[in-house]
Amino acid sequence: METIISAILGFLGVCITAGFGYAKWKKENKKAQQAESEMKFQRAALSFEEFLEEWAVIHHELKDLLETTCLDRFLILRAWNGHHEPRWTTAVFQIRLGNQEAVSYVHYELDTDYQSRIREISLRNDMTFSTKDLPASGIKEVYQAEGVKAAAWFLINEDVLENSGSKAVTYCSFATKSEEKIPDEVMTRCRILVGRLKGAALSFKE
């Protein structure tokens, strides 16, 4: 009987010790998870702060570009839904000089011409065109309504949804109401600015 009692007590001792050990491990593991979460939060906050600082510089350079060249309109847009053929686009940011009113392009449905242009900038990174040379299309109607004579589009970023064929394409558009072709030196400045936009988008995403 004493042997059995001793065995039971020994077993209980092991269980109690294991229980304390598990509780301690669980507590330490929770602390580690909290510390990791805090570090992730701090990294995210820092990257967002850095993004805002970079965006402030980009915004300043963007305004200077519009004020010192023929360009008078800048939009950042995002097209989404469909890996190869985005169906809609939305203007998420825009700057217009003078008394131009911001036009709300939200969930604007794309025609085949617009879709082909998004495919093209996804492959080439940028494209330019004059409104007068555009075929009958939604973008031509929009540009004619706004008085846009020429435009340049640039790819900023592409995001593919995991386990899905859906892709979001973020791009920007520079436009002018005074020229039928954007001068090469202005295009160079646009490319430099878009390079900063790409870098800011990538660093914030990471």
Side-chain angles (χ1 to χ4, degrees), residues 79 82-86 110-127 153 155 158 167 169 171:
H83 187 70
H84 296 294
E85 303 293 348
L110 309 181
D111 57 17
T112 55
D113 176 77
Y114 204 124
Q115 290 173 337
S116 69
R117 294 180 190 280
I118 291 181
R119 284 199 306 271
E120 187 171 347
I121 61 170
S122 292
L123 295 172
R124 293 176 43 194
N125 286 314
D126 65 74
M127 65 182 302
W153 292 9
L155 177 69
E158 290 183 318
K167 178 173 68 172
V169 181
Y171 59 107

Side-chain angles (χ1 to χ4, degrees), residues 70-180:
C70 64
L71 302 174
D72 47 43
R73 194 195 77 159
F74 172 79
L75 278 71
I76 295 178
L77 307 101
R78 171 165 281 197
W80 74 98
N81 193 31
H83 187 70
H84 296 294
E85 303 293 348
R87 293 183 58 191
W88 301 281
T89 192
T90 292
V92 296
F93 176 81
Q94 50 186 304
I95 296 180
R96 298 168 182 263
L97 292 187
N99 57 0
Q100 297 183 67
E101 292 185 6
V103 179
S104 180
Y105 296 116
V106 177
H107 214 64
Y108 178 81
E109 190 165 7
L110 309 181
D111 57 17
T112 55
D113 176 77
Y114 204 124
Q115 290 173 337
S116 69
R117 294 180 190 280
I118 291 181
R119 284 199 306 271
E120 187 171 347
I121 61 170
S122 292
L123 295 172
R124 293 176 43 194
N125 286 314
D126 65 74
M127 65 182 302
T128 60
F129 47 85
S130 299
T131 301
K132 66 180 180 62
D133 296 329
L134 292 173
S137 58
I139 192 62
K140 184 167 188 173
E141 292 175 0
V142 168
Y143 280 179
Q144 286 179 331
E146 293 190 19
V148 170
K149 290 187 176 180
W153 292 9
F154 293 85
L155 177 69
I156 295 177
N157 188 41
E158 290 183 318
D159 290 307
V160 178
L161 186 64
E162 290 185 10
N163 302 318
S164 169
S166 296
K167 178 173 68 172
V169 181
T170 304
Y171 59 107
C172 64
S173 164
F174 296 90
T176 173
K177 292 184 176 183
S178 60
E179 302 286 342
E180 291 191 347

Side-chain angles (χ1 to χ4, degrees), residues 1-11:
M1 178 65 71
E2 291 181 0
T3 303
I4 295 174
I5 293 174
S6 298
I8 292 173
L9 290 176
F11 175 73

